[in-house]
Amino acid sequence: MKITQEQVFERANQGKLWAGNLIEGYANHNNKLENRTPIDNSLIGYIADGDAQDIEAAVRVARNTFEKGIWRDLSPQERKAVMLKWADLISLHSEELAALDCVDAGKPITECLNTDLPATIETFYWYAETLDKLFGKIAPTSQQELGLIVNEPIGVVGAVLPWNFPAQMFAWKVAPALAVGNSVVVKPAELTSLSAYRLVELAYEAGVPKGALSLVCGLGEKVGEALGRHNDVDVVSFTGSTEVGRLFLKYSAESNLKEIILECGGKSPQLVFEDADIEAAIPHILAAAFWNMSENCSCGSRLIVHESIKQPLLAKLTMALKEWKLGDPRQAEVSIGPMIEQAHFEKVQSFLDITIKEGGQLVTGGKVHHEIGSGWYLEPTIFDEVTPQMSLFKHEVFGPILAVTSFKNDDEAIALANDTHYGLAASFYSQNIHRVMHVARRINAGTVSVNGFSEGSIATPFGGFRQSGFGGKDNGLEAFEQYTQKKVIWFIHQ
């Protein structure tokens, strides 16, 4: 039965939303955690308070299912049919899933409906359609030998999800990992577990074997660590902070040396050269800086502008920001909702005072709206005169505060762009094709977009350099590689 966004919002108001563990043949214990919406900090329901015992059960079921070949040994066409049915069901229930992410994460409902869920659905369809078009290789040999190079599913995959794009990040990890025949154990962020729970329910309805896909909700220090340390998990794919990414490397080193795929933080630059089409660039610059309340790893939080055009550019950005309405994200016209939780809000808010003390000049914004809902609402904010020594230039804020720094020449612009420990994404604006090719090559980032803000598409790999992560890529055919292992089968003619 389809559920409308209004029905989801009403159930949230009644505190009736639930996300529990989904593990075949294993009963949930009664421990649960309160789930409060960042919209107004009201109780919208509960999630399961999972622990190491739940992870043990989920991994045991996942391994048993994998070894029996219940999902793995289906033909690619059979798995494809199930994945396509799952994608159809997600499309059918997209309004419900969008509303769940809205109330769970405080994301604007318009973005959830028009951006997040369409991208989620596209991801499932893309991997479903691609999985029966993957080929191995034949090695060059003599006539007395035959060498096959085949890709096999790696086994049990742990998927640890972030809270900023709940449904979409579920799709990025689970769709390719499951499509190639693995068993997957999903650990959603404790702040945003609702859409993951519903997506797994829809997977079962589509025909995904319950043993091939499990969900364990709960706190990272209990569920995430148990998954990272489990000796029968073959790979963990993690998206989140660089700090927690380091922990997963430690868990792997202290257990079975499982593969770790990290997509971590970012401090992405946006470069605007003097020959840029400023009018065309404005919406892209603002989207890069403030989309999803800037709670985005690829957020273009450093605006590096040629000194000759800085003032007119800032004037146009300030004017255009007036169209970005801040408020209750359940309202269709709202572009900026709350920060995800109080602790994160306080961290973001602290950068306002720090930047002023360090010499930054407030251009626009900077106001906290305590009168709205939870009070975790901050206007999109721009600071000028930010130097590379300042905290706002160096640290990932993950909130709507943009740092502006000027440059005199191309070499200085590139040096400023690369003056970071991160390297996830970058964008720049220029009409000079020679400059475009030169700058794109010299910026240290996994995705570089030119004359617009973009993370690429489902067909292009997404991941970073340096402390933004390593070990694999989401999206594209490359995502299959991190969930498979190569085997050589060598035939000798006797």
Side-chain angles (χ1 to χ4, degrees), residues 79 129 131 144 149-150 184 214-215 287 365 392 401 417 441 477:
R79 290 200 306 274
E129 289 288 358
L131 74 90
Q144 285 73 43
I149 304 169
V150 299
V184 183
S214 301
L215 182 80
L392 189 62
I401 305 177
R441 289 288 191 176
L477 292 176

Side-chain angles (χ1 to χ4, degrees), residues 22 83 86 90 97 101 119-120 123-124 127 159-178 184-189 192-204 208 213-216 237 239 474 483:
L22 294 168
M83 296 290 291
W86 190 10
I90 295 169
L97 291 162
D101 277 0
T120 299
T123 300
F124 277 98
Y127 284 109
V160 182
L161 311 182
W163 46 257
N164 53 346
F165 294 90
Q168 190 174 352
M169 293 301 99
F170 180 103
W172 277 22
K173 298 188 184 301
V174 176
L178 200 65
V184 183
V185 178
V186 181
K187 191 278 177 198
T192 54
S193 298
L194 296 176
S195 60
Y197 180 77
R198 191 71 183 102
L199 284 164
V200 175
E201 287 187 322
L202 294 174
Y204 297 161
V208 173
L213 180 61
S214 301
L215 182 80
V216 184
S237 179
T239 294
D474 290 316
Y483 303 120

Side-chain angles (χ1 to χ4, degrees), residues 243-450:
E243 177 186 9
V244 177
R246 293 179 190 273
L247 291 178
F248 276 99
L249 294 176
K250 177 183 177 183
Y251 302 154
S252 172
E254 294 178 350
S255 58
N256 63 333
L257 287 179
K258 62 178 65 63
E259 295 185 28
I260 301 294
I261 302 158
L262 298 178
E263 195 272 273
C264 298
K267 192 66 182 175
S268 300
Q270 301 189 71
L271 282 67
V272 186
F273 292 91
E274 68 274 19
D275 64 334
D277 183 341
I278 293 180
E279 292 295 340
I282 294 297
H284 288 273
I285 293 171
L286 293 180
F290 301 120
W291 169 51
N292 198 49
M293 292 72 71
S294 308
E295 294 171 336
N296 178 19
C297 294
S298 62
C299 170
S301 56
R302 293 184 296 140
L303 185 60
I304 300 169
V305 188
H306 192 275
E307 59 184 9
S308 67
I309 60 168
K310 185 178 73 170
Q311 293 308 320
L313 177 64
L314 290 179
K316 290 179 183 295
L317 289 173
T318 301
M319 183 65 65
L321 265 182
K322 294 179 180 180
E323 302 298 319
W324 288 58
K325 181 178 178 181
L326 180 144
D328 187 327
R330 293 169 293 193
Q331 299 174 359
E333 67 275 14
V334 166
S335 303
I336 297 284
M339 299 284 93
I340 186 68
E341 62 174 343
Q342 184 170 354
H344 182 62
F345 164 74
E346 290 173 353
K347 173 207 162 187
V348 173
Q349 185 184 19
S350 71
F351 277 92
L352 298 176
D353 292 335
I354 291 171
T355 305
I356 290 173
K357 288 179 181 178
E358 292 181 346
Q361 301 297 309
L362 181 65
V363 175
T364 188
K367 182 179 179 181
V368 174
H369 288 263
H370 293 296
E371 78 281 3
I372 303 176
S374 62
W376 308 334
Y377 293 76
L378 173 63
E379 290 179 349
T381 301
I382 300 176
F383 278 103
D384 191 12
E385 303 298 333
V386 177
T387 68
Q389 294 74 38
M390 292 184 184
S391 300
L392 189 62
F393 188 95
K394 294 187 292 185
H395 300 300
E396 184 179 36
V397 179
F398 229 60
I401 305 177
L402 177 63
V404 179
T405 305
S406 60
F407 67 87
K408 293 182 173 63
N409 56 58
D410 289 15
D411 286 341
E412 184 183 8
I414 294 166
L416 287 167
N418 290 334
D419 188 7
T420 175
H421 295 301
Y422 299 108
L424 186 58
S427 56
F428 69 93
Y429 299 83
S430 173
Q431 300 300 304
N432 184 324
I433 187 61
H434 302 291
R435 170 184 280 155
V436 164
M437 295 305 298
H438 176 67
V439 173
R441 289 288 191 176
R442 289 187 60 191
I443 291 179
N444 294 322
T447 299
V448 179
S449 59
V450 182

